[in-house]
Amino acid sequence: MLDVIELERMEARTHEDIFLGRSHFMPSGRVFGGQVLSQVVSAAARTIADDRHVHSLHGYFLRPGDMRKDITFGVDRIHDGRSFARRRVQGYQDGVPIFSGILSFQDEDEGVEHQLPMPEVPAPEDLPDPLRELDRHPHSQRLLAANPIEVRHVEGSLLVEPTGGARPTQAVWTRVRRPIGDSRLLHQAALAYLSDYTIQEPSMRGAGVAWSTTGLKVASLDHAMWWHRPARADEWLLYVQESPGAQGGRGLAFGRLYTRDGALVASVAQEIMLRVPTSDAVSPPA
C-alpha cells in the first residue's frame, strides 16, 4: 500500500503536473479502486502548500484498471483561493482515463462543530478474526492475510454467506495492519484507500448475497469522501455503513468513520454496479 501511494513525479509538464503510479497485485487482475483514490489524494497534495489539507474528493471510476500497467496521473491546478484550493485529477492507462475527480483543500480554520454520535458496538478485540472463517479455503486465507487493511465485522462477514438477514446496514472495525508513521497526508491517503473496502457490502446485504455468490458482479461507479478531522489510519476506526436503496443494477451506500473515542473523522458515499443472478441461477457458496 505504501509503495503505491508514493508516486513518481515526471519531468514532462504542460498545463498539468504529471505523476506515475504503480499497482499492487489483485486476484482479479483489476486495479483496486481504493488504491486509485489514495494515489489521487497523493498526486493532488503534491501540488498544494503544506499548510493546506484535503477535505473532500468527488470522483468517477470510468474504466477498470489493469494492475500490470502503470497509471499516469495528471493534476490540473484549477483554483487557488485565500482559504481553499481545488485540483482536478485524471488517471490514465494506455492514453485513456480510468478515473476522473476533483479534490478540495483548506487551510486550518476554526468554526462550529457537531456530529452524529457513534453507535455502541462490541470492541474489535471482542469480534472474530475473518481469517478463521477461511480455514477450509487456504488460498483465500493467504490473500486476505496479505491485504494491508484489517477488518472485523460487527454483524459477521460476507465472505462466505450473508448473516443477519437482508438488512442493508453494517458496521466494521478497520485499520491499516501496521504503523505507517506520522505524516498527515499519508494517513489521509490511507483513509481514502480503506474507504473503498467494505463500502459495497450494505447494498449486498440488502440483496442477501455474499462475495462467494456465483455470478455476482460488483464494481464501483463513483466515490465521494469528506475528511472532517485528523485521524490515524493505523488505529482502529469504526466504519458505520448503510444503503438507502438499490435499483437499476446499482446500489448506493453511505459510511461514517469514527475513532475509538467517538470522534467522527470522515464521511463516504459510493454508488456501485450490483448485478445479482436470478434466484434460479444462484448456486450455494463453494
Side-chain angles (χ1 to χ4, degrees), residues 206-257:
V209 296
W211 288 108
S212 60
T213 300
T214 302
L216 176 71
K217 294 182 179 180
V218 178
S220 302
L221 299 175
D222 61 7
H223 194 93
M225 184 169 182
W226 299 263
W227 291 258
H228 307 308
R229 298 173 177 86
R232 295 191 65 93
D234 53 10
E235 296 180 353
W236 283 116
L237 299 166
L238 182 66
Y239 202 175
V240 181
Q241 305 164 342
E242 63 179 3
S243 173
Q247 61 288 309
R250 306 185 315 278
L252 178 64
F254 299 118
R256 302 190 304 276
L257 284 155

Coordinates of all heavy atoms in Angstrom, one line a residue, residues 206-257:
G206 N -28.4 -5.9 1.6 CA -29.8 -5.7 1.3 C -30.3 -6.7 0.3 O -31.5 -7.0 0.3
A207 N -29.4 -7.1 -0.6 CA -29.8 -8.1 -1.6 C -29.7 -9.5 -1.1 O -30.1 -10.5 -1.8 CB -29.0 -7.9 -2.9
G208 N -29.1 -9.7 0.1 CA -29.0 -11.1 0.6 C -27.9 -11.9 -0.1 O -28.1 -13.1 -0.2
V209 N -26.9 -11.3 -0.6 CA -25.8 -12.1 -1.3 C -24.5 -11.9 -0.6 O -24.2 -10.9 0.1 CB -25.7 -11.6 -2.8 CG1 -27.0 -12.0 -3.5 CG2 -25.4 -10.2 -2.9
A210 N -23.6 -12.8 -0.8 CA -22.2 -12.8 -0.3 C -21.2 -12.7 -1.4 O -21.6 -12.9 -2.6 CB -21.9 -14.0 0.6
W211 N -20.0 -12.4 -1.1 CA -18.9 -12.3 -2.1 C -18.8 -13.6 -2.9 O -18.3 -13.6 -4.0 CB -17.6 -11.9 -1.5 CG -17.5 -10.5 -1.0 CD1 -17.6 -10.0 0.3 CD2 -17.5 -9.3 -1.9 NE1 -17.5 -8.7 0.3 CE2 -17.5 -8.2 -1.0 CE3 -17.5 -9.1 -3.2 CZ2 -17.4 -6.9 -1.5 CZ3 -17.4 -7.8 -3.7 CH2 -17.4 -6.7 -2.9
S212 N -19.1 -14.7 -2.2 CA -18.9 -16.0 -2.9 C -20.1 -16.4 -3.8 O -20.1 -17.5 -4.4 CB -18.7 -17.1 -1.8 OG -19.9 -17.2 -1.0
T213 N -21.1 -15.6 -3.9 CA -22.3 -15.9 -4.7 C -21.9 -16.1 -6.2 O -21.3 -15.2 -6.7 CB -23.4 -14.8 -4.6 OG1 -23.8 -14.7 -3.2 CG2 -24.6 -15.1 -5.4
T214 N -22.2 -17.2 -6.8 CA -21.9 -17.4 -8.1 C -22.5 -16.4 -9.1 O -23.8 -16.2 -9.0 CB -22.2 -18.9 -8.5 OG1 -21.6 -19.8 -7.7 CG2 -21.9 -19.2 -10.0
G215 N -21.8 -15.8 -9.9 CA -22.3 -14.9 -10.9 C -22.5 -13.5 -10.4 O -22.9 -12.6 -11.2
L216 N -22.1 -13.2 -9.2 CA -22.2 -11.8 -8.6 C -21.3 -10.9 -9.4 O -20.1 -11.3 -9.6 CB -21.9 -11.8 -7.1 CG -21.9 -10.5 -6.4 CD1 -23.3 -9.9 -6.4 CD2 -21.3 -10.6 -5.0
K217 N -21.7 -9.7 -9.7 CA -20.9 -8.7 -10.4 C -21.0 -7.4 -9.6 O -22.1 -6.8 -9.5 CB -21.2 -8.5 -11.8 CG -21.0 -9.7 -12.7 CD -21.3 -9.5 -14.2 CE -21.0 -10.7 -15.0 NZ -21.3 -10.5 -16.4
V218 N -19.9 -6.9 -9.1 CA -19.8 -5.7 -8.3 C -18.7 -4.8 -8.8 O -17.6 -5.3 -9.1 CB -19.6 -5.9 -6.8 CG1 -19.5 -4.6 -6.0 CG2 -20.7 -6.8 -6.3
A219 N -19.0 -3.5 -9.0 CA -17.9 -2.6 -9.5 C -18.3 -1.2 -9.0 O -19.5 -0.8 -9.0 CB -17.8 -2.5 -11.0
S220 N -17.3 -0.4 -8.5 CA -17.5 0.9 -8.0 C -17.8 1.9 -9.2 O -17.0 1.8 -10.2 CB -16.3 1.4 -7.2 OG -16.1 0.6 -6.1
L221 N -18.8 2.7 -9.1 CA -19.1 3.7 -10.2 C -18.6 5.1 -9.8 O -17.9 5.7 -10.7 CB -20.6 3.7 -10.4 CG -21.2 2.4 -10.9 CD1 -22.8 2.6 -11.0 CD2 -20.7 2.0 -12.2
D222 N -18.9 5.5 -8.7 CA -18.4 6.8 -8.2 C -18.1 6.8 -6.7 O -18.5 5.9 -6.0 CB -19.3 8.0 -8.6 CG -20.7 7.9 -8.0 OD1 -20.9 7.0 -7.1 OD2 -21.6 8.7 -8.3
H223 N -17.4 7.8 -6.2 CA -17.0 7.8 -4.9 C -16.8 9.3 -4.4 O -16.3 10.1 -5.1 CB -15.6 7.1 -4.7 CG -15.2 6.8 -3.3 ND1 -15.5 5.5 -2.8 CD2 -14.6 7.5 -2.4 CE1 -15.0 5.5 -1.5 NE2 -14.5 6.6 -1.3
A224 N -17.3 9.5 -3.2 CA -17.2 10.9 -2.6 C -16.7 10.7 -1.2 O -17.1 9.7 -0.5 CB -18.5 11.7 -2.6
M225 N -15.8 11.6 -0.7 CA -15.3 11.4 0.6 C -15.0 12.8 1.2 O -14.6 13.7 0.5 CB -14.0 10.6 0.6 CG -13.4 10.3 2.0 SD -12.1 9.1 2.0 CE -11.7 9.0 3.7
W226 N -15.3 12.9 2.5 CA -15.1 14.2 3.2 C -14.2 13.9 4.5 O -14.6 13.0 5.3 CB -16.4 14.9 3.6 CG -17.2 15.2 2.5 CD1 -17.3 16.5 1.9 CD2 -18.2 14.4 1.8 NE1 -18.3 16.4 0.9 CE2 -18.8 15.2 0.8 CE3 -18.6 13.1 1.9 CZ2 -19.8 14.7 -0.1 CZ3 -19.5 12.5 1.1 CH2 -20.1 13.3 0.1
W227 N -13.1 14.5 4.6 CA -12.3 14.4 5.8 C -12.6 15.5 6.8 O -12.5 16.7 6.5 CB -10.8 14.5 5.5 CG -10.2 13.4 4.7 CD1 -9.4 12.4 5.1 CD2 -10.3 13.2 3.2 NE1 -9.0 11.6 4.1 CE2 -9.6 12.0 2.9 CE3 -10.9 13.9 2.2 CZ2 -9.4 11.6 1.6 CZ3 -10.8 13.4 0.9 CH2 -10.1 12.3 0.6
H228 N -13.1 15.1 8.0 CA -13.5 16.1 9.0 C -12.5 16.5 10.0 O -12.3 17.7 10.3 CB -14.8 15.6 9.7 CG -15.9 15.1 8.8 ND1 -16.4 15.8 7.8 CD2 -16.5 13.9 8.8 CE1 -17.3 15.1 7.2 NE2 -17.4 14.0 7.8
R229 N -11.7 15.5 10.4 CA -10.7 15.7 11.5 C -9.5 14.9 11.2 O -9.6 13.8 10.6 CB -11.3 15.4 12.9 CG -12.5 16.2 13.3 CD -13.0 15.7 14.6 NE -14.1 16.6 15.1 CZ -15.4 16.4 14.7 NH1 -15.7 15.5 13.9 NH2 -16.3 17.3 15.2
P230 N -8.3 15.3 11.7 CA -7.2 14.4 11.5 C -7.4 13.1 12.2 O -8.0 13.0 13.3 CB -6.0 15.2 12.2 CG -6.5 16.6 12.2 CD -8.0 16.5 12.3
A231 N -6.9 12.0 11.7 CA -7.0 10.6 12.3 C -5.9 9.7 11.8 O -5.4 10.0 10.7 CB -8.4 10.0 11.9
R232 N -5.6 8.7 12.6 CA -4.6 7.8 12.2 C -5.3 6.6 11.5 O -6.2 6.0 12.1 CB -3.8 7.3 13.4 CG -3.0 8.4 14.1 CD -2.0 7.8 15.1 NE -1.0 6.9 14.4 CZ 0.2 7.3 14.0 NH1 0.5 8.6 14.2 NH2 1.0 6.5 13.5
A233 N -4.9 6.2 10.3 CA -5.4 5.1 9.6 C -4.9 3.8 10.2 O -5.5 2.7 9.9 CB -5.1 5.2 8.1
D234 N -3.8 3.8 11.0 CA -3.3 2.6 11.5 C -3.8 2.3 12.9 O -3.2 1.4 13.6 CB -1.7 2.6 11.5 CG -1.2 3.9 12.2 OD1 -1.9 4.6 12.8 OD2 0.1 4.1 12.1
E235 N -4.8 3.0 13.3 CA -5.5 2.7 14.6 C -7.0 2.3 14.3 O -7.5 2.8 13.3 CB -5.5 3.9 15.6 CG -4.0 4.2 16.0 CD -4.0 5.4 17.0 OE1 -5.0 6.0 17.2 OE2 -2.9 5.6 17.5
W236 N -7.6 1.5 15.1 CA -8.9 1.0 14.8 C -9.9 2.2 14.6 O -10.0 3.1 15.4 CB -9.5 0.1 15.9 CG -8.9 -1.3 16.0 CD1 -8.1 -1.8 16.9 CD2 -9.1 -2.3 15.0 NE1 -7.8 -3.1 16.6 CE2 -8.4 -3.5 15.4 CE3 -9.8 -2.4 13.8 CZ2 -8.4 -4.7 14.7 CZ3 -9.8 -3.6 13.1 CH2 -9.1 -4.7 13.5
L237 N -10.7 2.1 13.5 CA -11.8 3.0 13.2 C -13.0 2.3 13.0 O -13.0 1.2 12.4 CB -11.4 3.9 12.0 CG -10.2 4.7 12.0 CD1 -9.8 5.2 10.6 CD2 -10.4 5.9 12.9
L238 N -14.1 2.8 13.5 CA -15.4 2.2 13.3 C -16.1 2.7 12.0 O -16.3 4.0 11.9 CB -16.4 2.4 14.5 CG -17.8 1.7 14.3 CD1 -17.6 0.2 14.3 CD2 -18.7 2.1 15.4
Y239 N -16.3 1.9 11.0 CA -16.9 2.3 9.7 C -18.4 1.9 9.8 O -18.7 0.7 9.6 CB -16.2 1.6 8.6 CG -16.2 2.2 7.3 CD1 -15.5 1.7 6.2 CD2 -17.0 3.3 7.0 CE1 -15.5 2.2 4.9 CE2 -17.0 3.9 5.7 CZ -16.3 3.3 4.7 OH -16.3 3.9 3.4
V240 N -19.3 2.9 10.0 CA -20.7 2.6 10.1 C -21.3 2.9 8.7 O -21.1 3.9 8.1 CB -21.4 3.5 11.1 CG1 -22.9 3.3 11.2 CG2 -20.7 3.4 12.5
Q241 N -22.0 1.9 8.1 CA -22.4 1.9 6.7 C -23.9 1.6 6.6 O -24.5 0.8 7.3 CB -21.6 0.9 5.9 CG -20.1 1.2 6.0 CD -19.3 0.0 5.5 OE1 -19.8 -1.1 5.4 NE2 -18.0 0.2 5.3
E242 N -24.5 2.2 5.6 CA -25.9 1.9 5.3 C -26.2 2.1 3.8 O -25.5 3.0 3.2 CB -26.9 2.7 6.1 CG -26.8 4.2 5.8 CD -27.8 5.0 6.6 OE1 -28.5 4.5 7.4 OE2 -27.8 6.3 6.4
S243 N -27.1 1.4 3.2 CA -27.5 1.5 1.9 C -29.0 2.0 1.8 O -29.9 1.2 2.1 CB -27.3 0.2 1.1 OG -27.9 0.4 -0.2
P244 N -29.3 3.2 1.5 CA -30.7 3.7 1.5 C -31.5 3.1 0.4 O -32.8 3.1 0.4 CB -30.6 5.2 1.3 CG -29.3 5.4 0.6 CD -28.4 4.3 1.1
G245 N -30.9 2.5 -0.7 CA -31.7 1.9 -1.7 C -30.8 1.3 -2.8 O -29.6 1.7 -3.0
A246 N -31.4 0.5 -3.6 CA -30.7 -0.1 -4.8 C -31.8 -0.3 -5.9 O -32.9 -0.7 -5.6 CB -30.1 -1.5 -4.4
Q247 N -31.4 0.0 -7.1 CA -32.3 -0.1 -8.2 C -31.5 -0.1 -9.5 O -30.4 0.5 -9.5 CB -33.4 1.0 -8.2 CG -32.8 2.4 -8.3 CD -32.1 2.8 -7.1 OE1 -32.7 2.7 -6.0 NE2 -30.9 3.3 -7.2
G248 N -32.1 -0.6 -10.6 CA -31.4 -0.5 -11.9 C -30.1 -1.1 -12.0 O -29.2 -0.6 -12.8
G249 N -29.8 -2.1 -11.2 CA -28.5 -2.7 -11.2 C -27.4 -1.8 -10.5 O -26.2 -2.0 -10.7
R250 N -27.9 -0.9 -9.6 CA -27.0 0.0 -8.9 C -27.4 0.0 -7.4 O -28.6 -0.1 -7.1 CB -27.0 1.4 -9.4 CG -26.8 1.6 -10.9 CD -26.7 3.1 -11.3 NE -27.8 3.9 -10.7 CZ -29.0 4.0 -11.2 NH1 -29.3 3.3 -12.3 NH2 -29.9 4.7 -10.6
G251 N -26.4 0.1 -6.5 CA -26.7 0.3 -5.1 C -25.9 1.5 -4.5 O -24.8 1.7 -4.9
L252 N -26.6 2.2 -3.7 CA -26.0 3.4 -3.1 C -25.7 3.2 -1.6 O -26.5 2.6 -0.9 CB -26.9 4.6 -3.2 CG -26.4 5.9 -2.6 CD1 -25.2 6.5 -3.2 CD2 -27.5 7.0 -2.6
A253 N -24.5 3.6 -1.1 CA -24.2 3.4 0.3 C -23.5 4.6 0.9 O -22.8 5.4 0.1 CB -23.2 2.2 0.5
F254 N -23.8 4.9 2.1 CA -23.1 5.9 2.9 C -22.3 5.3 4.0 O -22.7 4.3 4.6 CB -24.1 6.9 3.4 CG -25.0 7.6 2.4 CD1 -26.3 7.5 2.3 CD2 -24.4 8.4 1.4 CE1 -27.1 8.1 1.4 CE2 -25.1 9.1 0.5 CZ -26.5 8.9 0.4
G255 N -21.2 6.0 4.4 CA -20.4 5.5 5.5 C -19.9 6.6 6.4 O -19.7 7.7 5.9
R256 N -19.7 6.3 7.7 CA -19.1 7.3 8.6 C -17.9 6.6 9.3 O -18.1 5.5 9.8 CB -20.1 7.8 9.6 CG -21.3 8.5 8.9 CD -22.2 9.2 9.9 NE -22.7 8.4 11.0 CZ -23.7 7.6 11.0 NH1 -24.4 7.5 9.9 NH2 -24.1 6.9 12.0
L257 N -16.8 7.2 9.4 CA -15.6 6.7 10.1 C -15.4 7.4 11.4 O -15.3 8.6 11.5 CB -14.4 6.8 9.2 CG -14.3 5.8 8.1 CD1 -13.4 6.3 6.9 CD2 -13.7 4.5 8.6

